[in-house]
Amino acid sequence: MTKKQEIQLFEEKKVRTVWDDEQEKWYFSIVDVCGVLTDSPNPRNYWKVLKHRLLKEGNETVTNCNQLKLKSEDDKMRLTDVADTEQLFRLIQSIPSPKAEPFKLWMAQVAAQRLDQMQDPELNFEQAYADYRRLGYSDKWINQRLKSIEVRKELTDEWNRAGVTENQQYASLTDIITQAWSGKTTRQYKQFKGLKKENLRDNMTNIELALNILAEASATEISKAQNPKGFKQSAIVARKGGQIAGDARIKLEAQTGRSVISSEKASDYLLQENTDDKNNK
């Protein structure tokens, strides 16, 4: 069974979701949905109270809810209550909110889009492009970011072929690659940019993203050539791939006289670009 985690946006608010390939259905984080519908400062506590009340009432939907490991705000994978579309429709009836009907429509659209994307993978990229454009990213950056997603997918497929399947091992291999080319672990890199739960790649500059693509693409090609087995051998390959991009970074920095690793994050340059656009009008 393959489960793919994605962040979906409803009115600019994040909802953690998981797509189950075998059952061909979405699972939504109930806590995130409570946060969207209620604007509660503590959606986790809101769900805890609501869940307790519904259980006392013998609500079968709550009883049948699943738990899946989702990435939390501290970047750790934690068991989280999730519901599929049908279950969530029922739960929403217990949450008084003017956003209930728009949210139901949004859920239906998410489900329909995924089924369409299964038939035509190009639609995945079109949706991602639209999401990034709405957030204010430039066309040039978006094209490179989408390429990085394609490269990343090819790398994780290669890791899976080598017998690496656990999310924690994926994270460790990513750390190895990142440190080999940038000199920082993923956590250190995010701290340097002042990030918390934001995605690191979404906050890289064009040159940082290009080097990260080179590192991951190199690791993929080396893995295909050397055919590693398991995590330890894949870790050696990951370091080799990262070092190729690391060497390129060092040569570039020698020519420019400045570090490629930037403290800039999306809120810095997107704000600047948007300001420039307004001034030019």
Side-chain angles (χ1 to χ4, degrees):
M1 182 186 302
T2 302
K3 291 184 172 66
K4 180 183 179 182
Q5 295 193 30
E6 288 188 19
I7 299 292
Q8 308 280 357
L9 292 176
F10 173 78
E11 296 182 352
E12 307 304 325
K13 291 191 175 181
K14 295 180 178 180
V15 179
R16 290 170 294 170
T17 65
V18 178
W19 173 257
D20 189 315
D21 276 343
E22 183 175 302
Q23 299 187 51
E24 294 190 355
K25 65 169 62 175
W26 283 109
Y27 287 96
F28 299 80
S29 164
I30 300 176
V31 168
D32 293 352
V33 173
C34 288
V36 167
L37 296 181
T38 67
D39 292 322
S40 169
N42 192 340
R44 192 171 301 280
N45 189 60
Y46 184 98
W47 168 235
K48 181 179 179 181
V49 173
L50 177 61
K51 180 180 179 181
H52 179 70
R53 175 171 67 80
L54 293 176
L55 284 172
K56 286 183 66 177
E57 295 173 358
N59 188 295
E60 291 186 7
T61 301
V62 178
T63 305
N64 295 330
C65 280
N66 294 306
Q67 282 194 325
L68 294 174
K69 282 192 174 183
L70 301 181
K71 184 176 287 188
S72 60
E73 291 185 2
D74 60 5
D75 277 342
K76 293 184 178 179
M77 303 298 291
R78 300 186 184 279
L79 280 174
T80 304
D81 287 333
V82 297
D84 62 25
T85 305
E86 183 179 349
Q87 291 171 325
L88 207 51
F89 274 133
R90 294 172 182 168
L91 284 177
I92 290 174
Q93 295 174 359
S94 303
I95 303 176
S97 171
K99 298 179 182 179
E101 291 308 315
F103 189 82
K104 289 180 181 178
L105 178 60
W106 174 81
M107 285 170 54
Q109 290 173 340
V110 168
Q113 285 173 358
R114 179 57 187 173
L115 293 176
D116 289 342
Q117 289 164 0
M118 289 171 65
Q119 300 299 321
D120 184 1
E122 186 176 341
L123 293 176
N124 265 321
F125 286 88
E126 292 177 358
Q127 182 61 51
Y129 190 98
D131 289 341
Y132 281 124
R133 199 74 183 86
R134 188 175 66 252
L135 291 171
Y137 289 93
S138 69
D139 290 344
K140 180 180 178 181
W141 186 94
I142 295 171
N143 287 329
Q144 188 160 251
R145 180 67 177 100
L146 294 182
K147 185 63 181 178
S148 77
I149 294 173
E150 179 184 344
V151 170
R152 174 70 179 182
K153 177 63 167 60
E154 190 174 2
L155 175 59
T156 55
D157 285 347
E158 182 61 22
W159 283 344
N160 188 65
R161 186 193 65 79
V164 179
T165 56
E166 296 180 14
N167 286 328
Q168 187 56 50
Q169 290 182 330
Y170 277 27
S172 296
L173 291 174
T174 301
D175 268 348
I176 291 171
I177 291 176
T178 304
Q179 188 164 28
W181 78 260
S182 71
K184 300 179 185 295
T185 64
T186 303
R187 182 178 295 276
Q188 290 170 341
Y189 210 152
K190 292 181 72 171
Q191 289 174 343
F192 180 69
K193 284 182 174 288
L195 305 175
K196 293 182 180 178
K197 58 183 179 180
E198 300 95 329
N199 184 290
L200 176 58
R201 292 175 182 82
D202 284 351
N203 288 275
M204 286 182 174
T205 62
N206 281 328
I207 190 61
E208 288 175 308
L209 203 52
L211 288 169
N212 194 69
I213 291 173
L214 175 60
E216 294 194 334
S218 297
T220 300
E221 293 306 310
I222 295 171
S223 182
K224 289 178 179 178
Q226 298 185 0
N227 196 28
K229 301 296 182 184
F231 174 79
K232 289 185 177 180
Q233 292 182 16
S234 293
I236 295 172
V237 169
R239 186 169 290 105
K240 290 178 180 178
Q243 285 172 345
I244 290 173
D247 291 342
R249 175 180 67 85
I250 291 170
K251 291 179 180 179
L252 177 59
E253 290 175 343
Q255 294 295 319
T256 62
R258 59 183 177 84
S259 175
V260 164
I261 309 303
S262 171
S263 60
E264 280 189 342
K265 51 186 180 291
S267 59
D268 297 329
Y269 55 81
L270 288 181
L271 178 61
Q272 181 62 43
E273 287 178 3
N274 292 338
T275 302
D276 291 344
D277 288 342
K278 289 179 180 178
N279 290 337
N280 291 330
K281 289 181 179 179

